[in-house]
Amino acid sequence: MSSDIGPLTIADPVILAPMSGVTDLPFRRLVKEQGAALVVSEMIASQAAIRETRQSLTMAQSCPEEQPMAVQLAGCEPQVMAEAAKLNADRGARLIDINFGCPVKKVVNGHAGSALMRDELHAARILEATVKAVDLPVTLKMRTGWDDNHRNAPNLARIAEACGIRMITVHGRTRCQFYAGSADWRFIREVKAAVSIPVIANGDIVSLDDADRALADSGADGLMVGRGCYGKPWFIAQIIDWLRHRRRRPDPPLAAQYDMIGRHYDAMLSHYGIAVGMRIARKHLGWYSKGLPGSAEFRAAVNQTDDTAQVRALLRQFYEPLLERQAA
């Protein structure tokens, strides 16, 4: 299974989804290290990108180890989106992804994200301006539609292809569903039938069996995985191994996970600075430890300290007895 995104060939198109507050450089680098084919940045507001705000620069930062990587942009002004795409191409992005899928009220009220699915003419202006602005492949992520009565993703996909978009990812929910209910992978088949470019299925892929069903139901060319990677940066590599070899690769040994968590923690502190890095790290440490004995107490203790040395001590106190018991 491979997909061509313009001149870029993705041998195993199982892609890390853009997730606000999650898919930063430290996490993307870790997921890529584990074997993911393609990773995508957090959604970046195009206005913030061209103003080069401190936050947008941090969000768009990349490194050679994670390439190829995509930067996802959101906005409602064609020329601002085009300028933001140019800036991120200059900074090292290999793809530009346009967000027509974010359901958050603040984004939608700004006539961006999934709000653009309600205005196909203006959506086309944004797509066309962004494609013309850069030599990189431009891709699109959207939902099935605004609500159950307006599931226009197939038509918008045709418009996108005509504008020069090279790949489309569809989250199998409408905007009005937010994240409730279940992703409708079968509807994605209608998008696949509407275009000749690669179509990627997204939503509710949290197990290897989900990956099989999503591909079978949607007929898609690949998968995009989001929350299934919480605390499991190796999950995408497991899906790739399963689809390629029908082999269920186990999670890494606990000792390898412990090493990975320590490196991830240090990378977050380095990337954000101590204060912000510690806040960001708390959710990741919670996801990593979920399901292990004593994890609730560990999470509570981590969330109550602002001392990096104390967090490292808590990590040792939590993981090392587990490793000793496992060795015994």
Side-chain angles (χ1 to χ4, degrees), residues 44-283:
I44 302 170
S46 55
Q47 279 281 6
I50 64 170
R51 291 199 308 269
E52 297 187 320
T53 65
R54 183 175 179 180
Q55 183 182 27
S56 71
L57 289 171
T58 300
M59 292 165 73
Q61 189 178 343
S62 65
C63 68
E65 295 83 9
E66 65 169 332
Q67 297 296 347
M69 64 84 71
V71 167
Q72 189 184 71
L73 297 173
C76 62
E77 299 170 84
Q79 290 313 309
V80 174
M81 286 285 285
E83 185 62 29
K86 280 191 243 181
L87 287 169
N88 281 284
D90 291 342
R91 292 193 193 115
R94 295 283 297 279
L95 299 98
I96 300 296
D97 188 61
I98 297 176
N99 184 304
F100 283 4
C102 180
V104 174
K105 188 177 291 187
K106 181 173 73 171
V107 175
V108 168
N109 287 348
H111 307 292
S114 54
L116 289 162
M117 296 196 73
R118 293 191 293 179
D119 189 344
E120 292 179 355
L121 185 61
H122 190 61
R125 294 190 190 104
I126 289 172
L127 297 170
E128 188 174 22
T130 309
V131 168
K132 286 182 176 178
V134 292
D135 294 328
L136 305 178
V138 179
T139 62
L140 172 65
K141 187 170 189 285
M142 61 179 171
R143 291 192 163 224
T144 57
W146 179 258
D147 57 29
D148 286 338
N149 296 319
H150 302 90
R151 297 212 291 178
N152 62 327
N155 193 54
L156 191 51
R158 283 187 284 267
I159 292 169
E161 184 176 27
C163 290
I165 293 297
R166 299 300 189 97
M167 182 183 80
I168 295 169
T169 300
V170 183
H171 181 107
R173 288 179 173 85
T174 65
R175 184 271 170 178
C176 289
Q177 280 183 271
F178 285 83
Y179 297 98
S182 300
D184 187 351
W185 298 323
R186 288 187 177 87
F187 185 82
I188 298 172
R189 188 173 285 275
E190 295 184 32
V191 181
K192 174 63 183 167
V195 295
S196 59
I197 56 177
V199 172
I200 306 297
N202 172 235
D204 292 352
I205 301 165
V206 297
S207 71
L208 300 182
D209 292 337
D210 291 337
D212 274 344
R213 287 195 298 270
L215 284 173
D217 288 355
S218 67
D221 301 286
L223 302 170
M224 181 174 278
V225 182
R227 61 188 172 89
C229 294
Y230 286 2
K232 296 178 67 177
W234 52 83
F235 180 52
I236 285 177
Q238 289 175 317
I239 295 175
I240 290 172
D241 211 31
W242 172 245
L243 296 177
R244 189 191 291 172
H245 304 296
R246 309 312 287 177
R247 181 172 61 209
R248 290 182 181 268
R249 184 198 294 188
D251 290 348
L254 192 61
Q257 293 184 36
Y258 181 38
D259 173 73
M260 199 181 304
I261 293 163
R263 290 189 291 112
H264 189 189
Y265 181 67
D266 289 342
M268 286 184 280
L269 298 184
S270 174
H271 183 65
Y272 290 106
I274 299 297
V276 176
M278 286 193 68
R279 289 200 300 273
I280 297 289
R282 286 170 181 158
K283 61 189 168 193

